[in-house]
Amino acid sequence: MKKMILASLLLASSLFATLKIDTTYATLGAVTQEIGGDLVEVHVLGSSKYDPHFIVPKPSLLSKLRRADLLIINGGGLEVGWLPPLIRSANNRKIQPGAKGFLDMSHFINMINKPTSVSRAFGDIHAQGNPHYVTDPHQVLVMAKVIAKKLAQIDPSHAQSYQHNLEKFLKKWNAYLKEFDAKMSQCSTKKVVQYHELYNYFLKRYGIVSVGNIEPLPGIAPSSKHTLALIGTVKENGVKKILQDVYHDKKAAEFIAAKTGAKVVVVPHDVGSVKAADTLEDFYNTIAKSICK
Ligand SMILES: [Zn+2]
């Protein structure tokens, strides 16, 4: 009898145990929550208010990594400056690179802006190409499918639930994209400049050209020579919008704006970067609004 009670308790606890999932990026966390529902507990390691290339490796992140069943990273070199030592220190076999509980989403994305030659000595933090694919709302479809497959793999007893959640979500997201793309086809902005190349995937998707960056190279602060040249480019191209993220200094963008008449707009790079972008839909709606309005 005791054995039976114990067995049923164990069964019950396995049925109701939630998977502990860490992700480095809030957008990936939001998609994971959609697919995992009540079966997962998602923790985002990097705050969407800060530079995703340089998250401060606090001890609280280590304790999250120690108890995780699954770690989902953006990849493409985005976390290379802060995550590898944390994973090693966490010493959690489940989430080491190559283990079943480690998922690098960039492996499923067609990365753009792959450099032909790169030296990190010159500070290029996009050595593997542009890692900011989450700004394209169509990539959400890829993320959702990959996450659903991974959840079913590490938690096969709930595979049906994950599949059901995926189907429901894809239906919702495809309807959202249809409406979103229709709105974007009316976008009058055709040329922009950016501080950091955060929005290239979005811009490429909707045929908007980025004619220059305030950073001379990804991760390198603007110089006066580069800024003056960019002012010329902005004027020549009739650029009306300067895309500024929430975490870089705005001074250079404001200086260029004052010299050219272009407008500085703050654009979220992740779910939760700005108040108006706290859901997946509102994240993309806010990007569109800031670029097109
Ligand atoms: Zn970057």
Side-chain angles (χ1 to χ4, degrees):
M1 187 65 184
K2 259 187 183 172
K3 265 187 187 170
M4 265 179 69
I5 293 171
L6 190 65
S8 52
L9 278 175
L10 280 173
L11 183 67
S13 70
S14 75
L15 282 176
F16 296 109
T18 52
L19 282 182
K20 291 181 177 56
I21 303 174
D22 288 349
T23 129
T24 55
Y25 213 85
T27 306
L28 286 167
V31 179
T32 307
Q33 195 65 67
E34 292 274 358
I35 308 302
D38 296 342
L39 300 167
V40 299
E41 188 188 315
V42 179
H43 182 80
V44 180
L45 300 171
S47 164
S48 50
K49 303 270 193 291
Y50 300 109
D51 189 338
H53 288 281
F54 302 106
I55 299 299
V56 178
K58 290 178 295 188
S60 60
L61 303 189
L62 201 54
S63 63
K64 293 289 179 199
L65 287 167
R66 282 198 174 121
R67 57 198 275 274
D69 299 302
L70 170 64
L71 169 63
I72 304 173
I73 73 163
N74 180 93
L78 186 71
E79 298 94 345
V80 83
W82 62 276
L83 189 62
L86 277 179
I87 297 180
R88 279 195 295 275
S89 304
N91 203 21
N92 174 356
R93 270 192 307 145
K94 286 187 202 166
I95 57 151
Q96 296 300 312
K100 207 158 72 172
F102 178 88
L103 174 60
D104 181 336
M105 189 58 72
S106 71
H107 291 171
F108 302 89
I109 307 284
N110 289 324
M111 301 279 284
I112 62 171
N113 310 135
K114 282 190 179 171
T116 43
S117 71
V118 154
S119 166
R120 291 187 66 84
F122 293 106
D124 194 335
I125 52 173
H126 289 176
Q128 297 174 37
N130 188 315
H132 305 294
Y133 55 81
V134 300
T135 54
D136 173 5
H138 284 256
Q139 304 287 3
V140 170
L141 299 172
V142 179
M143 296 180 219
K145 287 173 197 167
V146 171
I147 289 168
K149 200 172 167 190
K150 177 52 79 180
L151 292 182
Q153 192 192 359
I154 60 171
D155 180 22
S157 63
H158 292 112
Q160 260 190 329
S161 301
Y162 300 130
Q163 185 58 30
H164 171 76
N165 293 349
L166 173 68
E167 282 163 18
K168 207 171 125 194
F169 177 72
L170 290 180
K171 207 173 157 194
K172 176 177 93 166
W173 201 255
N174 276 312
Y176 170 79
L177 285 177
K178 206 174 159 193
E179 213 176 291
F180 190 88
D181 290 353
K183 270 193 231 158
M184 281 307 296
S185 69
Q186 306 295 314
C187 181
S188 58
T189 303
K190 298 293 172 220
K191 287 178 180 177
V192 296
V193 296
Q194 314 170 72
Y195 187 103
H196 181 76
E197 292 187 326
L198 278 162
Y199 310 102
N200 283 12
Y201 287 82
F202 183 93
L203 300 173
K204 185 172 184 258
R205 170 76 57 193
Y206 297 108
I208 301 168
V209 179
S210 178
V211 298
N213 305 309
I214 295 177
E215 290 178 323
L217 269 177
I220 300 292
S223 64
S224 37
K225 191 182 160 197
H226 180 76
T227 303
L228 289 176
L230 191 59
I231 287 171
T233 310
V234 168
K235 283 182 182 166
E236 270 165 39
N237 286 279
V239 171
K240 301 275 187 294
K241 293 280 172 74
I242 302 170
L243 313 187
Q244 172 75 40
D245 53 74
V246 297
Y247 56 85
H248 281 113
D249 195 290
K250 293 181 184 62
K251 268 188 220 146
E254 281 164 357
F255 180 73
I256 297 165
K259 296 284 177 198
T260 60
K263 196 179 163 203
V264 182
V265 287
V266 175
V267 188
H269 65 283
D270 193 7
V271 169
S273 285
V274 297
K275 246 189 183 171
D278 57 357
T279 64
L280 273 175
E281 285 93 336
D282 283 345
F283 169 43
Y284 296 108
N285 291 343
T286 309
I287 297 179
K289 216 165 136 186
S290 39
I291 293 177
C292 300
K293 210 176 162 187

